[in-house]
């Protein structure tokens, strides 16, 4: 780029110099042309005077004495002519302006002329000779004009000497100021006179040289195109022939003299261009240097960045290695107490927002010390590694297993649906760890059994430390109770867990022997207090434990695939009850059935329902289904499909426990739901808790906009009911209005149709 710039700069400068030179040469040439034109015009004028002389000469020859006095050049005021002489036809001097008796020089000219021209030959009007001077005055030229009669016969000769030096002197200033050299040639190529500045010279013979070739050309004027024979440099100038006389003028200058004046300017141009080029080059160099430096700097920076990031990476690796070492058990590779505390604390935070249980299991191997002492530490270590492996295998990936040291392991299991599930996990751990161990350092049949203590969040502790120490305490209780067992920290749970297992074992039998029964709770229209429907709630009439509520066995049934047969039983029982009421003439209202997640995933649900309706000839509008939001999580499409088919059968669907899940109203809108049942959690504090009241109020208005009915659950006081009435709730259900009761107990209310409140 820079090079191009410099080249352009130089090209411009050089062309400019060239152009200026050319212009100067052109100017000089036209100047020379002008001077040549002026001089030739003057010379022609002077020569024309000779004709006048010739006329006077002729008269003088004829004897007119007066004429002679005219012939004096001084008289004629023509100083260019030195003297005049007239010869008769016999070449005798007739007149001499110098009053000489003889004019040898001029006589010579006459003789020469006469010897070359015979009488019968045509005469030239004017013959111009060459200088006859031996020394100096070479510019004094003889001129001869033959005087003839009418017939052309020679009568005499008019001769004169023209001082071309004198003539040229008039141009001294011109020559000096313009620098032009002025030359006068005769027509045979002799240079008669030359004026160069102040210098006069003449009489140089250039005949036959290319310099004077112009003399033989037809054109009057010509540009000089060759050097003078005695010179090497071709001049700039003009050859110009006189039109009337055999003379020519050359006005010329040397190119140097023309270009001389420009030299300084041109030197300046070159100097300036050179300085500019240098500046550009220096600038470029500077720029390149800066760029180079920056590049080097950038590379250094990049390099140090890379170094830094490598270092950071190394540090990170080192950190994670140290962390791994510090946070993991060296023997089993599972987390140690440190990491357990860290992760468990984070998990506990999450547990605060969950409705499910979080459990810490504290496990200790029975008789481990014995194995260690008798079979050696190698076997003990191998056993611990195997135990860790088995624990990881039976737990979910996101459950946390850690070794606290020695034979103590601790496990955190999150999101457990029920206490019975916790008990099951504990049983599973005990069963798995108690299985014989094979191939531990050549020992094939090592057995151990764990004792497990369980602490539940939040009831047994709010922090990891609390939970750990309570689980530890529970573990000691388990050990005391006999090895290979588990114990809850909350002693009451030990029996309830045991009861869960008992209930589970009796569940199928209970279904067969009709130990289940339904209680009914009415839903009331807030404005008319009329019973708009009843909800069927299941109870287990246990032969040993009495009436058991669904909280205790629904989750159990769900976990063990018993909820579908249970649901089946409920659907049939409800239809049977409706048929019975119909027989008794009780006014019928729709009965709502609660349906759980698993049931909704069962595509046979619709069929079960329609079959039951058909068996007892119950119109479908008398059956309502209550689902919870949890039913929609997971396989939403399937659930939506089942709901759609139920709706198509004419069965209405309500969304139960609304507000405890995550379903937004817009999402609910896509389902065939006719009512929302606001969970009693929000109703409980509706009078005191502003945010609950807000939630309920906005739910009501949003539901209204979506064309949904709103039922408030768990209304336990008059105040709650009034509040709900004010904010536009449609229906209510709760202990304040009526507790769930048996079919026999609800029948009179149904007959009454309207509730009477105290
Ligand atoms: P849910 O469907 O929300 O039923 C309302 C629960 O609230 C009932 O408990 C009812 O007794 C109770 N309740 C009603 N009014 C009040 C009140 O004013 N205050 C309080 N504190 N509680 C009130 P229940 O009968 O123990 O049922 C618990 C849950 O078990 C039900 O909640 C329902 O989700 C489920 N459930 C009940 N029966 C069945 C069934 O046949 N099948 C299935 N899958 N689930 C059932
Ligand atoms: Mg319900
Ligand atoms: Mg509910």
């Amino acid at each position: 780029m820079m090079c191009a710039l410099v080249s352009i700069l130089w090209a411009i400068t050089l062309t400019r110099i060239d152009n200026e030179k050319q212009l100067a040469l052109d100017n000089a040439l036209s100047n020379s042309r002008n001077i040549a034109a002026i001089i030739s015009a003057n010379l022609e004028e002077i020569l024309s005077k000779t004709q006048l002389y010739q006329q006077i000469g002729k008269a003088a020859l004829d004897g007119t004495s007066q004429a002679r006095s005219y012939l004096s050049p001084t008289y004629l005021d023509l100083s260019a002519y030195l003297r005049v002489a007239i010869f008769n036809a016999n070449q005798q001097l007739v007149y001499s302006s110098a009053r000489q008796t003889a004019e040898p020089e001029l006589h010579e000219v006459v003789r020469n002329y006469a010897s070359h021209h015979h009488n019968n030959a045509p005469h030239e009007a004017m013959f111009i000779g060459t200088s006859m001077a031996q020394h100096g005055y070479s510019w004094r030229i003889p001129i001869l004009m033959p005087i003839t009669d009418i017939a052309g016969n020679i009568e005499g000769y008019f001769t004169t000497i023209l001082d071309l030096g004198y003539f040229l002197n008039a141009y001294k200033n011109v020559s000096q100021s313009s620098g032009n050299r002025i030359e006068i040639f005769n027509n045979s190529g002799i240079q008669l006179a030359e004026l160069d500045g102040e210098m006069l010279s003449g009489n140089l013979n250039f005949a036959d040289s290319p310099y004077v070739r112009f003399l033989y050309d037809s054109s009057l004027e010509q540009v000089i195109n060759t050097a003078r024979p005695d010179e090497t440099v071709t001049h700039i100038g003009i050859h110009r022939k006189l039109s009337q006389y055999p003379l020519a003028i050359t006005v010329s200058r040397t190119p140097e003299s023309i270009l001389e004046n420009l030299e300084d300017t041109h030197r300046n141009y070159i100097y300036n261009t050179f300085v500019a080029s240098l500046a550009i080059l220096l600038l470029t160099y500077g720029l390149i240097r800066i760029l180079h430096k920056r590049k080097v700097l950038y590379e250094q920076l990049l390099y140090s960045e890379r170094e830094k990031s490598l270092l950071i990476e190394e540090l990170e690796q080192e950190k994670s290695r140290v962390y791994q070492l510090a946070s993991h058990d060296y023997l089993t590779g599972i987390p140690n107490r440190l990491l357990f505390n860290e992760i468990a604390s984070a998990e506990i935070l999450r547990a605060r927002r969950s409705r499910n249980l979080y459990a810490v299991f504290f496990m200790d191997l029975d008789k481990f010390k014995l194995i260690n002492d008798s079979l050696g530490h190698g076997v003990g270590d191998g056993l611990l590694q195997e135990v860790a492996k088995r624990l990881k295998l039976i737990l979910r990936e996101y459950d946390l297993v850690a070794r606290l040291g020695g034979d103590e392991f601790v496990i955190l299991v999150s999101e457990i649906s029920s206490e019975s599930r916790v008990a099951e996990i504990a049983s599973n751990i005990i069963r798995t760890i108690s299985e014989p161990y094979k191939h531990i350092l050549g020992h094939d049949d090592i057995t151990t059994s764990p004792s497990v203590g369980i602490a539940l969040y939040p009831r047994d502790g709010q922090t990891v430390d609390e939970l750990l120490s309570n689980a530890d305490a529970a573990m000691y209780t388990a050990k005391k109770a006999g090895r290979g067992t588990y114990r809850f920290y909350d002693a009451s749970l030990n029996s309830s867990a045991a009861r869960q297992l008992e209930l589970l074992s009796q569940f199928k039998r209970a279904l067969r022997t009709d130990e289940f029964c339904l209680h009914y709770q009415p839903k009331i229209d807030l404005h008319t207090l009329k019973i708009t429907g009843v909800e069927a709630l299941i109870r287990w009439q246990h032969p040993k434990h009495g009436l058991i509520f669904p909280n205790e066995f629904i989750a159990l049934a769900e976990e063990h695939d018993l909820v579908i047969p249970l649901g089946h039983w409920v659907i049939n029982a409800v239809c049977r009850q409706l048929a019975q009421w119909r027989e008794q003439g009780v006014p019928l209202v729709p009965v709502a059935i609660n349906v759980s997640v698993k049931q909704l995933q069962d595509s046979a649900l619709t069929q079960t329902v329609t079959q039951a309706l058909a068996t007892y000839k119950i119109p479908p509008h008398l059956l309502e289904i209550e689902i919870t939001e949890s039913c929609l999580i997971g396989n939403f499409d399937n659930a939506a499909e089942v709901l759609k088919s139920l709706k198509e059968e004419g069965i209405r669907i309500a969304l139960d426990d609304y507000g405890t899940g995550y379903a937004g109203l817009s999402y609910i809108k896509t389902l065939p739901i006719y009512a929302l049942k606001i969970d009693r959690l929000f109703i409980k504090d509706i009078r005191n808790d502003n945010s609950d009241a807000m939630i309920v109020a906005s739910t009501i208005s949003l539901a209204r906009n979506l064309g949904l009915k709103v039922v408030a659950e768990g209304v336990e006081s008059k105040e709650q009911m009034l509040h709900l009435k004010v904010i536009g709730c449609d229906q209510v259900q709760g202990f304040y209005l009526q507790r769930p009761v048996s079919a026999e107990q609800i029948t009179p209310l149904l007959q009454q149709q309207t509730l009477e409140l105290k």
Side-chain angles (χ1 to χ4, degrees), residues 554-755:
I554 290 290
L556 197 70
E558 287 245 356
E559 276 160 33
H560 296 89
D561 290 336
L562 294 164
V563 83
I564 292 178
L566 181 74
H568 200 283
W569 183 90
V570 171
I571 292 162
N572 273 287
V574 165
C575 289
R576 200 187 315 129
Q577 185 59 60
L578 275 167
Q580 196 185 329
W581 277 329
R582 187 174 51 200
E583 261 171 41
Q584 292 172 353
V586 177
L588 294 181
V589 287
V591 180
I593 297 171
N594 290 287
V595 160
S596 71
V597 189
K598 286 254 172 71
Q599 279 176 280
L600 254 201
Q601 298 300 338
D602 177 21
S603 48
L605 180 67
T606 318
Q607 207 192 347
T608 310
V609 171
T610 48
Q611 258 174 18
L613 288 173
T615 309
Y616 297 99
K617 299 195 178 58
I618 305 294
H621 77 265
L622 286 181
L623 206 61
E624 236 177 71
I625 299 279
E626 289 188 8
I627 58 161
T628 56
E629 287 169 56
S630 58
C631 295
L632 305 171
I633 298 163
N635 203 342
F636 174 81
D637 290 342
N638 201 15
E641 199 56 42
V642 173
L643 291 178
K644 215 177 106 199
S645 71
L646 284 170
K647 164 125 198 264
E648 275 163 10
E649 292 298 334
I651 293 154
R652 291 198 298 189
I653 294 139
L655 189 67
D656 207 352
D657 300 348
Y658 180 75
T660 57
Y662 304 98
L665 275 176
S666 56
Y667 164 72
I668 288 160
K669 209 171 85 176
T670 63
L671 294 168
I673 280 169
Y674 97 99
L676 295 183
K677 295 186 77 178
I678 301 178
D679 195 77
R680 67 168 183 270
L681 217 74
F682 298 99
I683 308 301
K684 208 168 105 194
D685 266 348
I686 198 167
R687 305 271 306 135
N688 308 317
D689 191 320
N690 259 341
S691 68
D692 282 354
M694 288 264 286
I695 291 170
V696 174
S698 63
T699 304
I700 290 170
S701 77
L702 282 170
R704 281 257 168 100
N705 282 340
L706 292 173
L708 299 172
K709 288 244 174 280
V710 180
V711 183
E713 288 186 312
V715 177
E716 291 179 346
S717 70
K718 191 176 184 178
E719 287 75 25
Q720 288 170 345
M721 194 180 82
L722 288 176
H723 185 105
L724 287 162
K725 190 173 178 181
V726 168
I727 60 176
C729 186
D730 300 303
Q731 298 173 28
V732 283
Q733 185 182 355
F735 292 171
Y736 173 68
L737 300 140
Q738 175 61 56
R739 283 177 178 268
V741 286
S742 67
E744 294 82 59
Q745 288 171 292
I746 201 86
T747 309
L749 282 180
L750 291 180
Q751 271 164 339
Q752 219 173 284
Q753 291 184 25
T754 311
L755 226 61

